[in-house]
Amino acid sequence: MAQKPTSTKGSVPTGFASEIVISESTFRSAHRAVESQQSKKRKREERGDASVVYGPGAYKGPWAKFKQKTPEVSDGSEEEIEVTDNDTEEEEEQEQAVVPFKMATDYAPADEAETSEFHGSQMHDYQGRTYMHVPLDLNIDLRGDNSGIKNYVPKKLVHTWKEQQGAAITQMRFFPDSGHLLLTASASGKVKLFDVYHDRELLRTYSGHTKSTNDVTFNPSGVEFLTASYDRTMKLWDTETGACKAKFTTGKTPHVVRFNPSQPHEFIAGMADKKIVQFDTRTRELVQEYDHHLGPVNTLTFCDEDRRFVSTSDDKSLRAWEYGIPVPIKFIAEPHMYSMNRAVHHPTKPFIALQSSDNQIVVYASTERFRQNRKKSFRGHNNAGYAIDVDVSADGELVMSGDTGGYVCWWSWKSCKMLHKIQAGDSPVLACQWHPREPSRAVTGDANGLLKYWG
């Protein structure tokens, strides 16, 4: 006798499903609620306070988590609030109208008036002369020919300036030829001028940059100087009065600026957008652009009687240019090369010393072939991760450099041996300069803002 087939109604491969009844209006309201939740933009938690590192309210920035939404349970009634497209658009407009948290890398242009303040004991001496006058009542002659000067390694600390304490010293420059004034740039954006002789006091502060000042340079006469800052501007200042004469910008960050010694009304600047730009201070216009590097430009060094200059970049290359011609005449890029972030021309020989990022100072010829002198390499210091300055003494016999461990190092140019090493502080020594006249005087600046004069 055949069995009656059993019913398979409600059976599914994964179990048994029971049939329920739902009204069309309830289904539509639930469907609209789901669609509105999906269309809303997910919100993140608060960014927090940038000054708080740990604990509640700590800074999270763009890594803040999304807010957890608790799903609303519908009771199935038809009197639920309906979310329309207009409401969604209004919420999105309100979210876009919220002012975002200002990050440290926000380089929005900020207009700030350039000011200068004199701090010295007196502006003029008994003859009406300002600090621009080269002092003559000293044991050393700060004028005339300095070719007969013999330099020696400094042995002790002579003086310390603490006026910039708290802001890292990024660059320093002695007054051209005489060296009776010292100009310093710092991470605070302010540039300060110090007296090297007499009272060794702070003379003037130049304020006008809103972000760190990364380079400063005198013109050949010293009556004007240029500053370059991370606020994407370059400014021309009067050394004596403190007035800002001109402002230059391309919209990008300048890393290095240099006056042309033969044409002091023109200067070149290495930019973060891989370009080298040339400006005329008389017309305040861009007159030339050198665009061949593949990374931010770090150094610019004039050579060959100022008819050429050498540039280095983060692309680990070295390029030589004819001044005014935007085509490189020499290109050097080897697999063993590292980026070179500081450079100085030898005062008596056709060589350029460059601070390489692999903890050594390398030397390149500044003549026709621009070859590396592999016999010249100065080692024994640590500079990785920092843009540490390098300088050569006036007689060309000694090389000086800072160190990330707070040391100051001196080498012999001839033998490349380290002659002396002094613990200058507990922070990296970023800037160093030889005095152009004194036989054994040098100045250093560290990341804590301390200026130290050695002799």
Side-chain angles (χ1 to χ4, degrees), residues 224-242:
E224 296 175 343
F225 66 89
L226 269 171
T227 56
S229 171
Y230 278 103
D231 62 7
R232 302 186 179 186
T233 61
M234 296 164 282
K235 297 186 179 183
L236 180 67
W237 303 80
D238 188 288
T239 309
E240 183 175 6
T241 64

Side-chain angles (χ1 to χ4, degrees), residues 58 64 90 100 165 194 198 202-203 212 224-225 227-228 286 315 320 333 336 372 374 389 411 419 433 436 448 451:
E90 291 179 358
Q165 192 168 4
F194 295 89
H198 297 144
L202 171 64
L203 295 176
S212 172
E224 296 175 343
F225 66 89
T227 56
L286 178 66
D315 60 9
H336 59 80
Q372 181 182 359
R374 300 188 181 275
D389 205 7
W411 294 267
L419 302 177
Q433 287 287 304
N448 288 335
L451 288 167

Side-chain angles (χ1 to χ4, degrees), residues 57-334:
Y59 180 68
K60 300 177 183 178
W63 303 277
K65 297 181 179 179
F66 287 104
K67 291 183 177 180
Q68 299 293 334
K69 293 185 178 181
T70 55
E72 299 180 357
V73 180
S74 176
D75 57 356
S77 63
E78 298 181 6
E79 297 180 357
E80 296 181 3
I81 299 175
E82 182 176 347
V83 180
T84 62
D85 294 338
N86 295 334
D87 295 336
T88 305
E89 292 177 0
E90 291 179 358
E91 291 179 1
E92 291 180 353
E93 290 177 359
Q94 292 177 358
E95 291 176 358
Q96 293 176 358
V98 176
V99 179
F101 183 82
K102 189 174 181 180
M103 304 295 292
T105 54
D106 185 7
Y107 290 106
D111 296 332
E112 181 175 330
E114 294 81 11
T115 60
S116 178
E117 182 181 359
F118 180 73
H119 304 281
S121 56
Q122 56 183 5
M123 184 67 184
H124 301 85
D125 61 5
Y126 67 98
Q127 291 184 343
R129 301 173 300 189
T130 65
Y131 52 74
M132 298 292 290
H133 175 73
V134 179
L136 300 177
D137 53 339
L138 301 173
N139 296 328
I140 183 173
D141 184 15
L142 299 181
R143 295 184 178 184
D145 186 19
N146 62 349
S147 58
I149 296 176
K150 175 65 176 177
N151 288 91
Y152 302 94
V153 176
K155 300 295 182 181
K156 62 180 180 178
L157 180 64
V158 177
H159 185 74
T160 301
W161 290 282
K162 299 182 179 180
E163 284 79 1
Q164 282 189 330
Q165 192 168 4
I169 304 298
T170 55
Q171 191 55 271
M172 301 181 300
R173 290 287 182 264
F174 277 107
F175 193 85
D177 193 34
S178 65
H180 70 286
L181 300 176
L182 177 65
L183 190 68
T184 65
S186 69
S188 66
K190 296 182 178 181
V191 179
K192 295 182 182 292
L193 186 69
F194 295 89
D195 179 20
V196 179
Y197 299 98
H198 297 144
D199 297 331
R200 293 197 176 100
E201 59 182 352
L202 171 64
L203 295 176
R204 187 177 287 277
T205 299
Y206 308 85
S207 304
H209 287 295
T210 58
K211 296 187 183 296
S212 172
T213 308
N214 49 17
D215 197 17
V216 63
T217 181
F218 277 109
N219 69 350
S221 63
V223 297
E224 296 175 343
F225 66 89
L226 269 171
T227 56
S229 171
Y230 278 103
D231 62 7
R232 302 186 179 186
T233 61
M234 296 164 282
K235 297 186 179 183
L236 180 67
W237 303 80
D238 188 288
T239 309
E240 183 175 6
T241 64
C244 181
K245 292 186 172 182
K247 182 169 67 173
F248 309 88
T249 182
T250 63
K252 301 297 180 181
T253 303
H255 286 177
V256 55
V257 287
R258 291 290 182 271
F259 274 105
N260 185 345
S262 300
Q263 303 178 36
H265 60 274
E266 292 185 350
F267 72 90
I268 55 177
M271 313 299 291
D273 62 345
K274 315 170 189 177
K275 297 179 181 179
I276 302 171
V277 292
Q278 179 180 328
F279 282 94
D280 192 320
T281 58
R282 300 171 299 183
T283 62
R284 303 183 184 181
E285 293 182 355
L286 178 66
V287 296
Q288 190 59 269
E289 188 177 274
Y290 309 82
D291 186 10
H292 278 77
H293 276 292
L294 304 178
V297 181
N298 295 326
T299 70
L300 296 170
T301 311
F302 279 95
C303 60
D304 195 11
E305 298 180 353
D306 307 323
R307 294 175 298 183
R308 297 171 178 170
F309 66 91
V310 174
S311 63
T312 62
S313 166
D314 280 350
D315 60 9
K316 303 179 182 180
S317 71
L318 182 146
R319 285 173 167 85
W321 313 77
E322 290 280 356
Y323 187 75
I325 302 176
V327 179
I329 59 175
K330 185 69 175 182
F331 169 63
I332 301 176
E334 300 292 342

